Amino acid sequence: MSLADKLAEERRARLAAERLLEQKQAELRAANRKLDLHARALSHEIHETRAEVAVVRDENRRVKSDLTVAHQKVEIAERRLWHSIQTIRDGFAFFDADSRMIAANRAWLAVFDGLEEVRPGIRYAEILQILTEEGIVNTGERTPQQWREHMLDRWQADAPEPEVMRLWNGEYIRLIDQPGAGGDMVSLAHNITATIRYEKELKEARRRAEAANRAKSAFLANMSHEIRTPMNGVLGMAELLMESALDEDQRLYVSTIRHSAEALLVIINDVLDYSKIEADRIVLHPEPFDLERCIHELVTLMQAHARDKGIDLLVDYDLFLPTRLIGDQGRIRQILTNLLGNAVKFTEAGHVLIRVTGVQAEEGQEADIRISIEDTGIGIPADKVGDIFGEFNQVDDAQSRKFEGTGLGLAITQRLVRQMGGDIWVESEPGRGSTFGLSLPLPVAEAPAPELLPLAEGLKRVLVLEPNDASRALLERQLGALGLAVTACRDGARASEMAAGVDLVVADHAMNATDGFALAQALRAAGHTMPIVLLAVNPGSLAQHPSRALVQAVLQKPVARRELIAALAALVPAPPEAPPEAPPRAMRVLAAEDNKTNRLVFAKMVQALDIELSFAENGREAVALFQSLAPDIVFMDISMPEMDGKEATRAIRAIEAREGGHVPIIAMTAHAMAGDDAEILAAGLDHYLAKPLRRADIVARIAEAAPPDARPPAAMVQDTG
Ligand code: ADP
């Protein structure tokens, strides 16, 4: 090979090597670039990862610290809770599903007085064992064994009832055990010793209060007795004094004494009645009585007062309604007295009308009696009407403040009415008047007589002269119901004219321009000869009037239906009957009374009667005199020395049981408590008169007892009430 060839070859090789080198260098650069790129990416990645690691580490740290805080909080909460549980005064423990104690607070453990064994882990049954064996619990009636069984049974119940456990030292623990989730049991022990002691104290206080209340009732009974006895003297003597010769001033003084005493008595009675009702001690004594008569008696009693005020008292007793009913007359009288008293009290002008209606009933059946008391007085404001039956309620405005009263009357009335099975209500319009309505279911004692007395023959047309509208309407109705043709007129101005063709004139004595006698004179002067009947509120005072002979009858106003009928029947004189033979003897009345003043009062009260009066000063004497005198009636004071009225009555009844007969014995007593009257009647007394005695009551009782073989004691002496 040539050198040139060799050189060329060498150059070619060198060139190739140089190219290779260049290529390799380029490759190296590229690789370097790549490497650099990679290194940069890697360093970025490393950087990012580092940052992430830092975040995670931070988070980790935070979570860790949060956890610590939470843990601390839980610890604090638990400590606090436990501290609270420890400090509460009630015992608190809880048990797991195997009835092993998990924990208990100090109060729960206190009853065990530091016994080591009672600590977490102990079983409930072991605790019961310790309680009995150590004598911590007083198991009472149960043996320790029974008690433990009882407590275990209870523990295992689904919902254990609370249990009271008595400890040796007299303390009481109430256990409340509550099953919780997963079979746990929470046990609360509540010391109720104070409550139980308080309950005992309350019971004791109540016992003492009841005793005090009984003492109060007894005191009231006594007080009533103590007050009523001298009041009998005051009222009785005032009543007698009223009838003696007095000058005007003296009369005023005496009547003031009397009215004050009566007012006092009303208050005492109200207060007593109310306390009796409070104690549910009112006992009703139903017996046959005459309702119409009872109402008329009341009206007579109130008449004087109403007359002084210029008010008419009217009674409208349904003609076909029975009058003999069965009820507690005394209490019915009390109800009506109160309503009537109020009506008169709160009325300045016009009238008070008592209307009695009802559903007809046969003898023995219950009649639904309706009584309304209607007045034309001040009325009751609508917003007060609902309250007046409450206690101590008075419509308190300037208008009614001037009226006295206890505010108990209607409360008592309502209770009495309800006790009788009835009801009471009121309708009122201020300024126009009030109507009190009353329903009373009362059995009929005697159906009304089927035929009324025949009227005088030829009596067909009647002229009524009566200024009062209500009263006139009433008379029209009553006379119309008797089958008479009635012409009614408000005054006597045209009487002469109107009397033409009339068979009878019924006229109010007190007419506006004239009076009954002047009217009679005018009629007689005009040649009228028909009978004239006058109605007057106090007929007694007209008896001596020079013109009395001009009229045929003067009747008490308001006139009782029976009296009116009797008067009309008597207008034509009946054929004279042979005068009855004079009874040979006077009635014998025995009164037993230990108090000298009251004997005097009694004697004075009956002094106008044609009777033979004897006194006994105690029960023993009364029995002896009963045997020696054979009285027709006995008045018996209840509290007397040596032998009291009840005992004496029992002795008399025993004598009668051997020898036959039954003499009415009337109790006179100042005891006003309910229950007393029941006891008194149970001792064999027939009736009951409360002191202070009223002359009319005594006279009525004597008149009722008059035997056929004795002279009648006398005409009724009018009560001056
Ligand atoms: P008091 O002893 O005060 O009369 P009551 O219980 O009998 O007590 O009556 C309560 C109140 O009801 C009376 O004070 C009066 O304000 C009112 N009142 C009762 N009856 C009537 C009546 N007929 N007219 C107007 N107000 C009456």
Side-chain angles (χ1 to χ4, degrees):
M1 189 178 331
S2 74
L3 185 56
D5 280 349
K6 270 191 185 175
L7 275 173
E9 201 173 313
E10 253 176 47
R11 207 179 57 211
R12 271 193 312 267
R14 204 181 64 225
L15 275 173
E18 273 174 8
R19 267 198 310 271
L20 189 68
L21 185 66
E22 250 169 48
Q23 192 189 338
K24 287 297 172 193
Q25 269 173 342
E27 274 177 17
L28 190 66
R29 271 196 311 272
N32 257 342
R33 259 193 328 272
K34 243 188 199 166
L35 203 66
D36 187 40
L37 211 65
H38 194 67
R40 252 185 290 143
L42 207 66
S43 111
H44 185 69
E45 215 169 273
I46 286 171
H47 185 75
E48 276 190 348
T49 309
R50 265 216 203 106
E52 268 172 28
V53 165
V55 168
V56 168
R57 206 177 33 229
D58 271 3
E59 254 171 27
N60 252 348
R61 209 177 288 135
R62 211 170 43 238
V63 167
K64 229 188 226 164
S65 98
D66 280 359
L67 244 167
T68 320
V69 169
H71 194 74
Q72 280 168 351
K73 274 189 183 161
V74 167
E75 266 184 358
I76 291 172
E78 198 179 317
R79 218 171 33 239
R80 279 191 187 142
L81 180 66
W82 192 241
H83 180 71
S84 312
I85 290 176
Q86 283 291 32
T87 49
I88 53 173
R89 285 173 47 215
D90 294 329
F92 178 90
F94 47 103
F95 292 79
D96 64 14
D98 293 333
S99 296
R100 284 183 191 278
M101 182 200 282
I102 300 171
N105 72 351
R106 247 178 266 132
W108 202 91
L109 295 172
V111 288
F112 299 96
D113 205 16
L115 271 178
E116 287 281 302
E117 308 97 288
V118 186
R119 59 164 180 262
I122 189 171
R123 285 172 175 282
Y124 187 69
E126 292 170 313
I127 295 176
L128 295 178
Q129 195 77 29
I130 291 171
L131 282 170
T132 46
E133 277 174 7
E134 298 288 327
I136 297 171
V137 65
N138 177 346
T139 61
E141 309 263 281
R142 292 191 171 102
T143 64
Q145 170 75 15
Q146 285 170 335
W147 184 79
R148 284 194 303 265
E149 278 166 12
H150 163 72
M151 293 298 279
L152 261 187
D153 282 353
R154 181 184 159 275
W155 183 258
Q156 279 149 8
D158 289 340
E161 288 286 307
E163 168 87 17
V164 175
M165 178 170 87
R166 190 168 167 201
L167 301 186
W168 61 279
N169 56 3
E171 302 219 325
Y172 290 87
I173 310 279
R174 184 193 203 88
L175 295 172
I176 300 168
D177 300 320
Q178 189 80 48
D184 279 6
M185 184 75 109
V186 177
S187 172
L188 286 175
H190 187 46
N191 191 322
I192 54 167
T193 313
T195 316
I196 293 214
R197 193 171 302 142
Y198 184 60
E199 254 169 37
K200 271 192 193 149
E201 276 168 19
L202 269 185
K203 265 189 206 149
E204 171 61 16
R206 187 167 141 188
R207 194 195 57 73
R208 262 187 268 132
E210 278 168 2
N213 200 31
R214 274 195 300 277
K216 185 191 77 182
S217 296
F219 170 74
L220 281 177
N222 263 339
M223 184 186 76
S224 108
H225 183 255
E226 295 301 323
I227 295 176
R228 277 157 176 268
T229 303
M231 286 286 272
N232 193 39
V234 174
L235 270 171
M237 287 302 180
E239 197 168 331
L240 296 169
L241 203 54
M242 258 327 239
E243 282 161 26
S244 58
L246 297 176
D247 67 29
E248 204 134 298
D249 279 349
Q250 288 168 330
R251 189 163 289 280
L252 178 70
Y253 301 155
V254 178
S255 84
T256 309
I257 293 177
R258 205 177 133 185
H259 285 127
S260 309
E262 272 170 355
L264 180 58
L265 206 60
V266 167
I267 295 173
I268 295 170
N269 285 344
D270 264 8
V271 172
L272 276 172
D273 258 351
Y274 187 71
S275 44
K276 279 186 276 178
I277 287 180
E278 270 288 83
D280 280 333
R281 282 182 57 188
I282 292 237
V283 185
L284 297 175
H285 298 291
E287 55 177 11
F289 77 107
D290 190 310
L291 179 63
E292 190 182 18
R293 190 159 134 195
C294 166
I295 291 175
H296 275 280
E297 280 169 9
L298 281 181
V299 167
T300 309
L301 281 178
M302 301 252 176
Q303 193 67 265
H305 183 46
R307 193 171 55 221
D308 290 348
K309 293 184 74 173
I311 304 169
D312 279 297
L313 285 187
L314 311 169
V315 181
D316 179 8
Y317 197 104
D318 184 345
L319 201 57
F320 300 102
L321 199 67
T323 67
R324 301 264 322 151
L325 301 162
I326 297 176
D328 187 326
Q329 170 163 227
R331 293 298 177 187
I332 291 174
R333 189 185 264 266
Q334 185 180 1
I335 291 168
L336 294 176
T337 307
N338 190 29
L339 294 177
L340 204 54
N342 277 348
V344 172
K345 181 158 78 172
F346 296 107
T347 303
E348 292 306 333
H351 68 255
V352 172
L353 167 65
I354 307 171
R355 202 189 290 278
V356 187
T357 55
V359 180
Q360 258 266 58
E362 295 294 308
E363 195 167 318
Q365 283 176 353
E366 209 160 74
D368 184 15
I369 302 287
R370 304 279 164 134
I371 306 177
S372 68
I373 289 104
E374 173 192 308
D375 67 53
T376 54
I378 61 170
I380 304 163
D383 59 330
K384 299 284 167 38
V385 160
D387 298 336
I388 55 166
F389 293 108
E391 294 81 17
F392 308 108
N393 273 332
Q394 296 177 315
V395 175
D396 189 20
D397 61 11
Q399 221 185 356
S400 64
R401 217 169 295 148
K402 63 181 182 219
F403 302 103
E404 39 193 49
T406 56
L408 282 175
L410 287 177
I412 294 171
T413 301
Q414 186 188 47
R415 300 282 282 263
L416 286 175
V417 170
R418 297 221 170 129
Q419 198 172 343
M420 292 178 186
D423 204 1
I424 181 167
W425 58 92
V426 61
E427 280 164 28
S428 186
E429 204 180 315
R432 305 206 56 151
S434 317
T435 300
F436 282 80
L438 195 64
S439 74
L440 286 178
L442 298 176
V444 177
E446 204 176 283
E451 67 225 65
L452 295 161
L453 280 173
L455 296 185
E457 224 171 289
L459 205 54
K460 289 197 175 60
R461 295 192 53 204
V462 55
L463 172 64
V464 169
L465 299 171
E466 164 64 67
N468 181 287
D469 293 341
S471 195
R472 191 172 60 248
L474 198 64
L475 277 171
E476 266 189 84
R477 230 159 45 75
Q478 286 181 333
L479 293 167
L482 294 174
L484 296 171
V486 187
T487 314
C489 186
R490 125 169 331 110
D491 57 43
R494 290 170 51 237
S496 275
E497 236 170 281
M498 297 184 73
V502 158
D503 310 313
L504 167 70
V505 174
V506 175
D508 190 356
H509 175 60
M511 275 177 292
N512 297 336
T514 177
D515 72 19
F517 290 128
L519 178 92
Q521 282 159 13
L523 287 176
R524 298 294 182 233
H528 291 295
T529 55
M530 81 284 279
I532 300 173
V533 173
L534 290 187
L535 306 179
V537 280
N538 54 344
S541 68
L542 306 182
Q544 307 302 324
H545 196 281
S547 298
R548 175 64 183 82
L550 296 182
V551 304
Q552 277 53 49
V554 181
L555 300 180
Q556 166 86 52
K557 189 184 170 188
V559 61
R561 185 175 55 152
R562 275 168 211 275
E563 271 168 43
L564 181 64
I565 295 170
L568 297 191
L571 284 176
V572 172
E577 285 170 25
E581 264 175 49
R585 68 174 181 92
M587 229 184 122
R588 290 185 291 267
V589 175
L590 171 62
E593 165 67 77
D594 63 318
N595 181 298
K596 196 170 150 208
T597 312
N598 286 343
R599 279 202 298 275
L600 187 58
V601 170
F602 191 96
K604 291 280 186 183
M605 281 185 166
V606 298
Q607 113 187 321
L609 301 186
D610 178 15
I611 56 167
E612 221 179 274
L613 175 66
S614 320
F615 278 112
E617 292 183 18
N618 59 50
R620 203 174 307 287
E621 229 176 276
V623 178
L625 286 177
F626 173 80
Q627 281 175 297
S628 59
L629 296 178
D632 300 306
I633 183 169
V634 180
F635 287 87
M636 186 76 84
D637 186 21
I638 293 300
S639 30
M640 284 185 294
E642 282 189 57
M643 185 190 255
D644 73 15
K646 284 185 265 184
E647 225 184 310
T649 303
R650 275 192 287 270
I652 291 175
R653 293 298 182 226
I655 296 168
E656 288 176 339
R658 287 195 304 273
E659 297 171 8
H662 182 100
V663 170
I665 306 184
I666 318 294
M668 306 186 287
T669 170
H671 277 286
M673 292 299 283
D676 294 341
D677 40 358
E679 222 179 90
I680 286 167
L681 298 179
L685 289 118
D686 298 278
H687 293 288
Y688 174 94
L689 291 182
K691 284 181 185 171
L693 302 173
R694 301 193 67 96
R695 172 202 296 252
D697 294 335
I698 298 177
V699 173
R701 291 298 176 203
I702 294 177
E704 269 169 26
D709 66 330
R711 290 196 295 276
M716 279 289 283
V717 175
Q718 220 199 322
D719 190 281
T720 47

